[in-house]
Amino acid sequence: MTTSPPRTRVAPAPAVAHRVADRLLALVGDPGTATVPYRIDWAGPVDLPLHSEQAVQAACGIMGVHGRAAGRPTPLAVDYAGTVAGVLAAQGVCAALLGRAAGADVARVRTSVSQAALFSVSQYLAAATAEGDEDDAPPAATRREAPTEAGHRLFVSADGVPFELEALDAERWLGFWQRLGAPADALRAGWRPFQQRFATATCLLPHTLHRAAGAAPYAAIRTAAAQAGADVLSVCADPRGGTAPPAWRLTALGPATAGAAREAARTPPGSGRPPLAGLRVVESTRRVQGPLAGHVLRLLGAEVVRIEPPGGDPMRGMPPMAGPTSARFRALNDGKQVVEADLTTDRGRHTVRELVAGADVFLHNWAPGKAARLALDAADLSALRPGLVHAWASGWGDALGQAPPVGTDFLVQAHSGLAAAVRPAHLPPAPSLMTLTDVLGGLLSAQAVLAGLLARDRTGRGQRADSSLLSAAALVPRPRQRVRWGPWETPPATADGHLWLGETARAHPEQLGRVIGADAARCPDAAAARLRAGTSTEWAARFAAAGLTALPVGTDLARLAADPRLTAAVRRDAYARPLAPWEFL
């Protein structure tokens, strides 16, 4: 009997990351996954004392980005970085198996929760370190009316229903608010921050819009949205949400074809070649989820050909710029080949078919039904290219029926219960304005592709690989009840930023008080004032001398990217970006 090598663990182990990785590898169903041991560290190549989810969130930018809407760094109340690390580990194992099949000598895989955190803020890092200025400051009138409560302020109807709104263009935005009687100046002031909220993680809207929403019952709000072509969804207050869909669904395509798995003429990689070298991916994607999936496959070594509309993807021009192209766009699409094609024409669709004829994977995140309307669905393309893995990265999958609302990050957070899980119990549920499900959805789509490629290797049959933002949201472990935070859970302010206090310091207020020089339990205001008198670095050193962990919170992403302790994990040139988060040994 052959014994599989044990999974490597570290102490204290990032348990959530390992559970997510093991769950995804069990879904792959390939017995070979047990022969590739993986390791998930807390810090990995990051030279910082990181031994917990919150420490990683503090040091690697997540608290800073998530907290922008509140005006101060704020932890996510879920193990988000650990979940991302688990998906990365599963990807590494599957990629290693595919590399072995092509002749690569991969013994084991290593990643870390810190690398996962940095990877999850890739677009924000790019924007913060680009040459140009980020044109995202809200109008002055909007700033004067900024909400003061922590976190993202939800819309609440007259009958008390909290809801999220999605309007993908200005016409729908205007149509919705005009039907609710909102004043024209508020519509003009609110559109830009609303449109940019996915990129900036902020959304300061005029209070008059909230008053207009609060004057109408939810039924009238739904009617106004339907008439305007916008979408609204009530926010689920249960952190567990409803029934979780499967992480992905594989469906075999066509008959078994001998040698289908190697028709792309892969050459066995030599020493140092990435595991997917020789595989070809064609993608037709937009925004974050789809491009990120292609980005992951490219980092693993695949050749990725990106189909864009004539004139290029409009997102190329979104400031700030890194050279002639948007830094955010480059963070997800650098290194891909680009072919322009108008898919509304026969010629454009013919271009897609020509590209797919020599590809291993076709990846898209089109709206439901679009692939069938274009005759570019899985059945159409697998007939052209036997052995193809046809991947659809959707918003909802088939969980909400035939006519679901538009599947965007914030609506999925609202519906899935993630909006309730990421915030503590003393605050109302609200989605994070950091694109949590877009990032996880892109990673999960890439993992579904890898599972499809392994299934193709085993069976000789192509695969349809369907995943969704909703299934990605379900990966994040949820508490039965919303988390209740103790004192000092949110990083207090210092003279130059904010300081994250470790679990031990928070659990022992007497020790905390001795370091600060004020009774942290009985006189929190005095303790907070003392902290504001020193810098984050000074206080971190004082806590370390007392045997307690405290870390400066990474809110300035440009400074974070230049930190020499992150040199092995982040590359800086025209913009900063995390290096590939896997090590294949």
Side-chain angles (χ1 to χ4, degrees):
M1 179 178 177
T2 301
T3 303
S4 300
R7 304 294 192 195
T8 305
R9 296 289 189 265
V10 293
V16 165
H18 286 106
R19 285 199 299 269
V20 170
D22 289 343
R23 173 188 166 192
L24 295 182
L25 291 172
L27 291 175
V28 170
D30 190 318
T33 60
T35 70
V36 180
Y38 69 84
R39 179 185 177 102
I40 305 175
D41 298 315
W42 281 112
V46 174
D47 188 19
L48 287 167
L50 305 178
H51 304 291
S52 72
E53 170 75 24
Q54 280 206 352
V56 170
Q57 288 191 25
C60 298
I62 289 179
M63 277 191 195
V65 175
H66 170 61
R68 287 180 184 179
R72 61 180 181 274
T74 308
L76 291 165
V78 294
D79 290 303
Y80 183 75
T83 301
V84 172
V87 182
L88 292 174
Q91 290 171 348
V93 169
C94 293
L97 286 178
L98 290 164
R100 282 182 181 179
D105 183 16
V106 182
R108 61 190 185 277
V109 176
R110 186 162 62 197
T111 189
S112 72
V113 182
S114 299
Q115 287 170 291
L118 292 167
F119 198 81
S120 72
V121 297
S122 293
Q123 286 196 91
Y124 305 102
L125 272 175
T129 55
E131 300 166 355
D133 293 328
E134 186 166 8
D135 188 20
D136 66 352
T142 306
R143 289 199 296 272
R144 285 197 300 271
E145 293 190 299
T148 56
E149 69 174 86
H152 173 44
R153 186 181 177 194
L154 283 174
F155 298 112
V156 181
S157 68
D159 46 350
V161 178
F163 67 92
E164 266 292 351
L165 165 70
E166 188 61 86
L168 296 180
D169 56 57
E171 183 177 355
R172 301 180 200 198
W173 168 265
L174 291 171
F176 173 75
W177 288 111
Q178 286 170 346
R179 285 170 171 81
L180 295 185
D185 61 342
L187 307 191
R188 287 191 295 269
W191 168 242
R192 186 158 160 255
F194 179 84
Q195 182 191 35
Q196 294 291 313
R197 72 198 192 285
F198 79 95
T200 63
T202 58
C203 187
L204 301 182
L205 298 179
H207 278 304
T208 46
L209 296 182
H210 289 277
R211 287 196 291 270
Y218 187 57
I221 288 167
R222 286 178 58 90
T223 299
Q227 292 173 346
D231 289 286
V232 294
L233 271 181
S234 60
V235 177
C236 175
D238 182 351
R240 293 171 296 174
T243 302
W248 64 78
R249 180 179 291 113
L250 294 182
T251 307
L253 297 172
T257 303
R262 293 291 172 259
E263 287 179 8
R266 296 182 65 193
T267 55
S271 177
R273 290 195 63 187
L276 299 192
L279 283 172
R280 194 170 202 231
V281 178
V282 175
E283 72 165 62
S284 178
T285 63
R286 59 195 296 263
R287 296 184 179 271
V288 178
Q289 175 195 22
L292 179 60
H295 176 60
V296 167
L297 297 171
R298 187 192 67 79
L299 288 177
L300 288 167
E303 173 192 3
V304 180
V305 181
R306 179 173 169 78
I307 300 169
E308 296 187 13
D313 191 312
M315 300 293 285
R316 288 179 173 274
M318 174 182 286
M321 309 299 281
T325 307
S326 163
R328 291 191 184 92
F329 184 88
R330 290 188 62 180
L332 301 180
N333 294 291
D334 266 1
K336 299 175 183 177
Q337 301 176 37
V338 177
V339 173
E340 294 185 6
D342 183 353
L343 301 188
T344 66
T345 66
D346 289 339
R347 182 176 180 180
R349 293 189 290 273
H350 179 69
T351 298
V352 175
R353 294 187 185 97
E354 284 187 321
L355 291 170
V356 169
D360 298 275
V361 177
F362 178 68
L363 167 67
H364 73 87
N365 64 339
W366 298 333
K370 180 176 178 179
R373 290 194 300 273
L374 296 176
L376 297 174
D377 208 349
D380 303 307
L381 295 182
S382 67
L384 171 71
R385 174 64 167 166
L388 182 74
V389 173
H390 185 287
W392 179 33
S394 69
W396 304 104
D398 57 7
L400 299 188
Q402 294 300 311
V406 61
T408 59
D409 185 285
F410 307 112
L411 289 190
V412 170
Q413 286 193 53
H415 176 80
S416 67
L418 189 57
V422 298
R423 301 229 295 174
H426 71 277
L427 295 176
S432 172
L433 292 184
M434 179 180 162
T435 50
L436 302 182
T437 64
D438 268 338
V439 170
L440 264 181
L443 290 167
L444 192 62
S445 176
Q447 172 61 23
V449 167
L450 295 170
L453 289 168
L454 287 171
R456 184 184 74 167
D457 275 10
R458 292 196 308 271
T459 67
R461 300 179 69 182
Q463 302 288 323
R464 174 172 177 148
D466 293 342
S467 62
S468 68
L469 296 180
L470 185 62
S471 62
L475 286 180
V476 181
R478 314 287 181 80
R480 290 184 176 275
Q481 301 292 330
R482 296 180 65 204
V483 172
R484 295 191 178 277
W485 281 352
W488 304 97
E489 199 87 26
T490 299
T494 63
D496 63 343
H498 290 79
L499 185 74
W500 174 77
L501 301 174
E503 290 88 346
T504 304
R506 296 199 308 271
H508 299 281
E510 70 286 352
Q511 293 179 270
L512 181 63
R514 280 198 291 272
V515 176
I516 296 175
D519 192 324
R522 296 182 181 180
C523 305
D525 291 343
R530 290 294 303 272
L531 285 170
R532 287 194 295 271
T535 68
S536 297
T537 302
E538 290 169 349
W539 281 116
R542 293 185 191 182
F543 275 92
L548 301 174
T549 302
L551 293 168
V553 181
T555 53
D556 183 341
L557 295 186
R559 182 184 298 178
L560 178 68
D563 190 327
R565 293 171 296 183
L566 271 66
T567 299
V570 176
R571 174 180 296 168
R572 176 78 184 264
D573 39 49
Y575 64 96
R577 57 194 180 277
L579 296 170
W582 314 272
E583 188 176 3
F584 295 97
L585 306 172

